[in-house]
């Protein structure tokens, strides 16, 4: 993903803009939080004006919608603050209205925002992956269950987990007087938005309500603290592992080098296999092979990474 | 299926171009603001390095260990930045 390191950014400092992209109905406004310059994937704060009405329709990219204030009505059901939707690409949502208005966050994960009016799913849509939940009312806080874990007082609600990439979307909170004295970095991209409250990181200072970051892999963050506590929503693109340490001055290259060395220690056989196998093109028997679809990026052993080619024609 | 291939209209391309330009400005502003935070950050780092020797550094959850003075890293001579 080609999004720059946006950290910290506070959306309260900028006004909403009208959504003018083709297909979107009038009455939707947004603040851009981060944008992938290659594929247009983006995260936005959004505002639906009172009386907003969006007909049934789908997006070309999977997206996630989280309601922060007000309410929306999807079909006959009203969804208030804390409501979360995961909508796979091509899945047609019922009519979405907001009689009294609402604010929320939208994550368009693999392409620019799009809306196509439709009462039926796209032929390739994976309807079974659709999810909707009120995370405030119907889910409870749990410990993070990572190893190594964040300090006591940081809890999560997992909203979505992708079993293939292990990327996930989650609510997280910090209790008042939370503190964690270490520095962390991850192998994944990580983004978060403060729904309420202020936390502090040693590198970036305070992140208040409306604060946001998009952080590429291997960037130091922490120590951490929050005087009054926070409520936030976060998302990663792949597995999150806490690489903890206490050197404030390491850079991205050193952190990545250390992570690779740790993989070598943790999974020596696999590490050796990846480094020595000629084709270097592992296949997961549970999923389609990259070559079968052609357009899926895959690696080759000659250092050609993220190799792509057009879908091969089937011989008749 | 995370994404359905489609053709981008000119209107979408123009929108993306505009948003990318605005993001570049936001990024540059963040870099400037973070640069200005350097004196405060230097103090926060000094406090952190003191705390991990006296109270300890978090290793996992509530497990902490005290860091010995000889383990404390030395600031390298290269330029230090926090936004990449």
């Amino acid at each position: 993903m080609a999004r720059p390191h946006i950290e910290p950014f506070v959306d309260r400092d900028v006004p909403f803009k009208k959504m003018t992209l083709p297909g979107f109905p009038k009455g939707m406004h947004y603040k851009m939080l981060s944008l992938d310059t290659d594929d247009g994937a983006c995260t936005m704060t959004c505002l639906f004006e009172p009386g907003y009405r969006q007909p049934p329709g789908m997006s070309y990219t999977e997206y996630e919608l989280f309601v922060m204030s007000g309410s929306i009505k999807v079909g006959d059901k009203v969804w208030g603050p804390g409501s979360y939707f995961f909508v796979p690409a091509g899945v047609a949502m019922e009519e979405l209205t907001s009689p009294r208005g609402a604010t929320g966050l939208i994550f368009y994960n693999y392409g620019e925002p799009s809306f196509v009016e439709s009462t039926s799913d796209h032929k390739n849509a994976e309807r079974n992956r659709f999810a909707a939940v009120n995370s405030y009312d119907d889910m409870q806080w749990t410990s993070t269950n990572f190893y190594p874990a964040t300090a006591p007082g940081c809890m999560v609600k997992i909203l979505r987990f992708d079993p293939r990439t292990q990327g996930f979307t989650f609510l997280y909170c910090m209790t008042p007087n939370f503190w964690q004295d270490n520095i962390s970095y991850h192998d994944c991209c990580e983004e978060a938005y403060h729904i309420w409250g202020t936390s502090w990181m040693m590198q970036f200072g305070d992140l208040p309500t409306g604060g946001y970051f998009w952080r590429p892999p291997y960037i130091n963050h922490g120590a951490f603290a929050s005087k009054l506590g926070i409520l936030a929503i976060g998302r990663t693109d792949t597995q999150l592992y806490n690489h903890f340490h206490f050197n404030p001055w390491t850079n991205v290259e050193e952190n990545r080098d250390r992570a690779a060395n740790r993989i070598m220690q943790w999974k020596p056989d696999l590490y050796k296999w990846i480094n020595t196998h000629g084709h270097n093109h592992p296949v997961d028997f549970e999923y389609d092979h990259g070559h079968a679809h052609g357009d899926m990026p895959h690696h080759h052993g000659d250092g050609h990474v993220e190799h792509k080619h057009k879908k091969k024609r089937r011989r008749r | 299926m995370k994404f359905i291939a489609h053709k981008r209209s000119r209107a979408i391309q123009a929108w993306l171009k505009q948003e990318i330009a605005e993001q570049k400005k936001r990024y540059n502003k963040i870099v400037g603001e973070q640069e200005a935070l350097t004196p405060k950050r230097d103090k926060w780092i000094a406090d952190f390095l003191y705390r991990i020797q006296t109270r300890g550094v978090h290793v996992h959850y509530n497990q902490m260990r005290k860091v010995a003075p000889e383990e404390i890293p030395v600031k390298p001579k290269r330029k230090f930045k926090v936004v990449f």
Side-chain angles (χ1 to χ4, degrees), chain A residues 4-9 17 21 30 32 34-35 37-40 60-62 89-90 110 112-113 122 124 126 129 147-152 162 179-183 200 202-205 219 244 246-249 251-252 254, chain B residues 1-6 8-9 11-12 15-16 18-20 22-23 26-27 29-30 33-34 37 41 44-45 48-49 51-52 55-65 67 71-76 78 80 82-84:
Chain A
H5 183 195
I6 300 290
E7 182 170 22
F9 173 66
K17 295 195 285 186
L21 278 172
Y30 71 99
M32 184 60 72
S34 70
L35 173 77
T37 54
D38 289 339
D39 61 19
Y60 289 124
T61 168
E62 74 172 34
Y110 293 95
E112 76 280 357
H122 186 275
N124 294 331
E126 296 170 325
R129 294 175 62 225
Y147 185 89
T150 47
D162 184 325
W179 54 275
Q180 180 177 314
D181 263 340
N182 58 17
I183 298 165
W200 169 90
M202 189 168 69
Q203 293 76 10
F204 310 105
I219 292 174
F244 289 150
F246 54 84
N247 186 339
W249 298 295
N251 59 27
V252 167
E254 288 162 338
Chain B
M1 180 63 64
K2 295 170 186 287
F3 178 73
I4 296 166
H6 61 283
R8 275 184 190 160
S9 67
I12 295 171
W15 183 86
L16 282 172
Q18 175 72 23
E19 289 295 338
I20 289 168
E22 287 178 20
Q23 177 164 265
R26 278 199 300 278
Y27 175 83
K29 187 168 178 275
I30 289 168
E33 286 168 354
Q34 289 300 308
L37 206 59
R41 186 183 300 112
W44 294 336
I45 289 174
F48 169 74
L49 294 175
R51 284 198 309 273
I52 62 174
R55 189 169 64 180
V57 64
H58 275 100
V59 178
H60 163 65
Y61 196 55
N62 60 352
Q63 294 172 19
M64 300 181 75
R65 78 167 179 94
V67 176
E71 291 181 273
I72 294 297
V74 178
K75 187 178 182 179
R78 68 184 178 222
F80 175 53
V82 297
V83 180
F84 290 88

Side-chain angles (χ1 to χ4, degrees), chain A residues 26-313:
Chain A
K26 283 183 182 172
M28 178 179 171
H29 304 255
Y30 71 99
K31 297 177 184 185
M32 184 60 72
L33 300 177
S34 70
L35 173 77
D36 188 310
T37 54
D38 289 339
D39 61 19
C42 59
T43 303
M44 311 187 306
T45 320
C46 65
L47 180 150
F48 300 124
E49 284 178 7
Y52 179 77
R53 180 186 167 276
Q54 180 180 289
M58 56 154 238
S59 168
Y60 289 124
T61 168
E62 74 172 34
Y63 68 94
E64 299 167 70
L65 169 64
F66 182 81
V67 179
M68 290 195 285
S69 68
S71 64
I72 60 171
K73 199 173 166 190
V74 179
D76 295 330
K77 191 168 179 189
V78 176
W79 297 85
S83 298
Y84 167 81
F85 297 84
F86 176 79
V87 188
V91 167
M93 282 269 276
E94 293 178 274
E95 181 184 66
L96 186 156
T97 59
S98 185
R100 294 185 179 183
T103 64
L105 287 168
I106 301 190
F107 307 86
Y108 289 97
N109 293 341
Y110 293 95
E112 76 280 357
S114 56
F115 180 75
V116 181
E117 218 174 308
S118 173
T119 51
S120 57
D121 291 350
H122 186 275
K123 63 181 167 62
N124 294 331
E126 296 170 325
R127 163 73 57 179
N128 61 319
R129 294 175 62 225
F130 175 86
V133 66
N134 187 315
S135 62
Y136 291 173
D137 295 340
D138 299 334
M139 298 178 76
Q140 291 190 301
W141 294 106
T142 65
S143 62
T144 55
N145 287 325
F146 309 140
Y147 185 89
T150 47
C154 179
M155 287 168 286
V156 295
K157 297 184 183 188
I158 307 296
L159 303 175
R160 180 191 70 98
F161 177 78
D162 184 325
R164 185 157 200 202
T165 63
Q166 299 201 0
F168 66 120
T169 306
F170 52 102
L171 283 185
Y172 66 100
C173 71
M174 293 176 186
T175 53
N177 252 337
F178 174 82
W179 54 275
Q180 180 177 314
D181 263 340
N182 58 17
I183 298 165
S184 185
Y185 63 85
H186 314 298
D187 306 294
C188 59
C189 294
E190 184 180 28
E191 68 177 330
Y193 180 91
H194 273 205
I195 299 164
W196 179 86
T198 300
S199 70
W200 169 90
M201 274 183 281
M202 189 168 69
Q203 293 76 10
F204 310 105
D206 284 338
L207 193 67
T209 301
Y212 170 82
F213 64 81
W214 171 276
R215 185 187 306 125
Y218 305 113
I219 292 174
N220 281 337
H221 52 285
F224 311 84
S226 178
K227 193 172 182 185
L228 298 174
I230 64 149
L231 171 64
I233 183 168
R235 193 176 78 89
T236 71
D237 59 346
T238 53
Q239 186 188 49
L240 183 146
Y241 178 85
N242 289 318
H243 290 282
F244 289 150
H245 66 110
F246 54 84
N247 186 339
W249 298 295
T250 59
N251 59 27
V252 167
E253 289 73 27
E254 288 162 338
N255 288 348
R256 185 189 290 119
D257 212 24
R258 173 174 179 252
N261 184 281
R262 300 179 111 193
I263 297 292
M264 189 167 71
Q265 307 305 321
W266 297 336
K267 301 180 181 181
D269 198 50
L270 182 63
Y271 186 88
K272 189 178 168 188
W273 185 88
I274 289 170
N275 270 306
T276 54
H277 231 66
H279 192 221
N280 192 13
H281 186 221
V283 175
D284 183 339
F285 61 81
E286 287 191 333
Y287 294 92
D288 284 336
H289 182 217
H291 276 153
H293 280 285
D295 57 345
M296 288 177 67
H298 49 270
H299 303 341
H300 284 261
D302 56 1
H304 194 170
V305 296
E306 296 186 356
H307 177 72
K308 257 181 168 181
H309 50 75
K310 287 188 177 172
K311 190 172 182 173
K312 285 179 181 170
R313 280 188 165 182

